[in-house]
Amino acid sequence: MPHTIALAQCGSLPDTTKNLKTAEYFIHQAANAGAALIVFPEYFMYPCIGDPTLYVNHSQSIEGPFVSCMSGLAEKFGIWILFGMNEAAPKLRQDKCFNTLILLDDSGILQGTYRKTHLFDAFDWHESDHTAAGDVLFSPLETPFGKLGLGTCYDLRFPELARSAALQGAEIFIYPSAWVQGDMKAVQWKTLLTARAIENGMTVLGCSQYIKDTFIGQSFACDPFGRVLADADESSQLILVPVTPKDSLRARHLVPSLKNMRNDLY
């Protein structure tokens, strides 16, 4: 039986109160549509554009007010929520924070976190100037809508993350992102998401921020066979994606690439 995962393709503002209002607007829609999970993009709590000092200075702990408010919304609407935040790292150093994903269940209970491990030091961006890299991959989690793996944006270019999750039984992999505008970037985004799905026999979803002339939007989802489940345009919108976790079992039976890996060679 398919489940619905909602992708909230939107931007974020340097005002967390307004971002919480945006969250409630999309969560209400997703819950009314029967979605089991709603995904918000990377950097949802506070935007990472302009002065990086502001981004770091507005970071919060996971126990802080923004996560607490999102937890209340998860409980109020009875829906799982995944979103990105700038997590404070006071014990690490004062001029950096973590780029962290937060996963809340439908009772508002924290079920998982992931600190982005591959920082976007490419295309003239230097994420490592203001962000500390995580050093632990997300362990796939059993959820009511399938076994879930997570990565963040630039992680998509490192197939090892998705392969590691697939070997641990992940049926769904989600990349909350802020995919930067640029020549051929949208093609790369969709091609890589499709590749991660087909090569690992799992459904892969990418939810990208949309900010005109900065982040592309164009959220995209693909099943294990390469069928496109969602292909959004460049606008703020809610995308409903039908996801069937059992598709992974069938795909991996037909193409047992995980079993056929030559671990003796690589």
Side-chain angles (χ1 to χ4, degrees), residues 121-179:
D121 289 353
F123 293 100
D124 295 324
W125 284 63
H126 300 280
E127 188 176 17
S128 63
D129 287 350
H130 52 73
T131 299
D135 56 9
V136 178
L137 299 184
F138 182 81
S139 295
L141 178 72
E142 291 283 1
T143 74
F145 42 87
K147 194 166 186 178
L148 175 65
L150 298 176
T152 305
C153 201
Y154 191 47
D155 285 333
L156 176 59
R157 294 184 181 272
F158 300 85
E160 296 83 359
L161 262 79
R163 176 52 54 93
S164 175
L167 290 171
Q168 295 176 70
E171 299 162 311
I172 302 165
F173 202 97
I174 302 177
Y175 294 94
S177 303
W179 203 260

Side-chain angles (χ1 to χ4, degrees), residues 3-194:
H3 301 274
T4 299
I5 294 178
L7 306 179
Q9 179 172 288
C10 57
S12 61
L13 298 169
D15 182 336
T16 56
T17 301
K18 290 183 179 178
N19 293 334
L20 287 168
K21 289 181 180 178
T22 296
E24 183 164 13
Y25 170 78
F26 282 114
I27 291 167
H28 189 192
Q29 287 188 57
N32 284 346
L37 165 71
I38 182 168
V39 181
F40 291 90
E42 177 187 23
Y43 302 139
F44 178 66
M45 188 185 88
Y46 194 91
C48 187
I49 53 177
D51 184 355
T53 303
L54 294 175
Y55 173 74
V56 175
N57 288 346
H58 283 83
S59 61
Q60 295 183 14
S61 73
I62 293 172
E63 294 76 29
F66 192 86
V67 175
S68 177
C69 289
M70 293 293 280
S71 175
L73 291 173
E75 183 178 19
K76 176 181 177 180
F77 290 99
I79 189 171
W80 285 61
I81 301 175
L82 174 64
F83 65 94
M85 68 173 292
N86 39 328
E87 180 198 353
K91 294 181 180 179
L92 183 69
R93 52 188 295 176
Q94 293 298 315
D95 60 343
K96 291 192 178 185
C97 60
F98 291 110
N99 182 343
T100 302
L101 297 180
I102 302 294
L103 180 65
L104 305 168
D105 69 15
D106 54 3
S107 296
I109 297 170
L110 182 69
Q111 291 294 334
T113 64
Y114 168 67
R115 292 169 172 169
K116 187 177 183 181
T117 50
H118 297 90
L119 302 182
F120 188 50
D121 289 353
F123 293 100
D124 295 324
W125 284 63
H126 300 280
E127 188 176 17
S128 63
D129 287 350
H130 52 73
T131 299
D135 56 9
V136 178
L137 299 184
F138 182 81
S139 295
L141 178 72
E142 291 283 1
T143 74
F145 42 87
K147 194 166 186 178
L148 175 65
L150 298 176
T152 305
C153 201
Y154 191 47
D155 285 333
L156 176 59
R157 294 184 181 272
F158 300 85
E160 296 83 359
L161 262 79
R163 176 52 54 93
S164 175
L167 290 171
Q168 295 176 70
E171 299 162 311
I172 302 165
F173 202 97
I174 302 177
Y175 294 94
S177 303
W179 203 260
V180 179
Q181 288 276 6
D183 183 42
M184 296 298 292
K185 292 293 298 299
V187 171
Q188 294 169 22
W189 163 247
K190 296 176 184 180
T191 300
L192 291 168
L193 288 167
T194 303

Side-chain angles (χ1 to χ4, degrees), residues 243-256:
V243 171
T244 305
K246 296 294 184 185
D247 281 350
S248 286
L249 290 175
R250 192 157 67 94
R252 290 168 182 170
H253 174 74
L254 292 171
V255 185

